[in-house]
Amino acid sequence: NILKIGRKVSCILIALYLVICFAAFFLLRLSNLNYYVIISGSMQPEINIDDVVVGQNFNEAEVKNYVNIGDVATYFDGKSYVTHRVYDKTQNRNGDTVFIFKGDNNNTIDRYSVKADQIQGKMLFTLRNLAWLFEFLNSIYGVVTLVSILLLLFMVENTLAYAIEYEMSKIQSENTDGNKTVDNLQPVS
């Protein structure tokens, strides 16, 4: 009875682990969050190469209200994603809100002003040195490896549970067959 309960609990724990692993990674894809792998030292020492920046996505109107001077944000410059600090927020000749960015480790501001519709999101937090993990999990090899590990854990848990159950049933059958047990052993004189 205890073994069956233990087995059910361990199956539930493995299933819960599986759900948490997939949810943690894919939550970023399903939510209003995104992640960016840092490939330059322009934001050191706060953000380093191979860090992962998790940011909240905003639409153009929200960017104007929620992204301010001093915030770290990611924008798309037409070729690549850039994660820098907002150095200034102003309006251009047309009255559009534009942002001036600068990397903390750079001596000058970025070359061009950035329009609100170019801003991808505002940084919420940084995951130190985890670029390799995100890149791996984004690959087919990462997904196959994660699923394989979880299946292996499930198989090992089931094998151990059956082995323990088998050994317990052998002990119980020996006890009912009249073999000596710890309870009916007599001291040696």
Side-chain angles (χ1 to χ4, degrees):
N1 228 1
I2 292 175
L3 287 176
K4 288 181 183 179
I5 292 171
R7 193 162 159 241
K8 286 180 184 179
V9 168
S10 61
C11 284
I12 290 170
L13 289 175
I14 287 176
L16 185 61
Y17 175 76
L18 175 67
V19 168
I20 289 171
C21 284
F22 280 107
F25 179 70
F26 293 106
L27 179 65
L28 293 174
R29 302 231 181 250
L30 302 175
S31 68
N32 198 28
L33 302 175
N34 209 343
Y35 72 91
Y36 304 93
V37 173
I38 303 303
I39 59 171
S40 81
S42 65
M43 286 298 291
Q44 288 178 331
E46 184 178 344
I47 305 170
N48 298 302
I49 296 171
D50 289 334
D51 286 352
V52 176
V53 170
V54 177
Q56 183 174 0
N57 297 330
F58 293 118
N59 63 38
E60 185 177 350
E62 292 172 326
V63 165
K64 293 175 184 177
N65 293 323
Y66 297 114
V67 177
N68 297 300
I69 295 171
D71 291 338
V72 175
T74 301
Y75 67 90
F76 186 69
D77 69 1
K79 293 183 257 175
S80 60
Y81 293 96
V82 178
T83 301
H84 281 170
R85 191 172 307 280
V86 177
Y87 184 77
D88 195 11
K89 181 178 177 179
T90 187
Q91 294 194 347
N92 65 11
R93 287 182 235 132
N94 299 333
D96 298 326
T97 301
V98 292
F99 298 82
I100 308 298
F101 282 85
K102 179 182 176 295
D104 290 354
N105 200 27
N106 293 350
N107 294 327
T108 61
I109 60 174
D110 295 357
R111 289 185 194 170
Y112 305 103
S113 59
V114 177
K115 294 179 183 175
D117 64 350
Q118 291 176 272
I119 296 179
Q120 304 298 305
K122 175 178 165 179
M123 183 181 83
L124 295 175
F125 58 90
T126 303
L127 301 170
R128 298 282 180 206
N129 299 312
L130 287 180
W132 64 271
L133 178 63
F134 278 74
E135 289 171 356
F136 181 69
L137 289 176
N138 249 346
S139 72
I140 187 67
Y141 301 112
V143 172
V144 169
T145 301
L146 182 62
V147 169
S148 298
I149 288 170
L150 294 172
L151 287 173
L152 182 63
L153 286 172
F154 183 75
M155 290 179 353
V156 166
E157 184 276 330
N158 274 335
T159 302
L160 288 174
Y162 284 121
I164 291 170
E165 192 173 313
Y166 175 75
E167 289 299 320
M168 292 299 285
S169 68
K170 276 180 41 178
I171 291 170
Q172 283 178 339
S173 70
E174 287 176 2
N175 287 343
T176 57
D177 290 344
N179 291 340
K180 292 185 178 180
T181 63
V182 174
D183 296 336
N184 64 14
L185 288 178
Q186 300 296 319
V188 178
S189 342

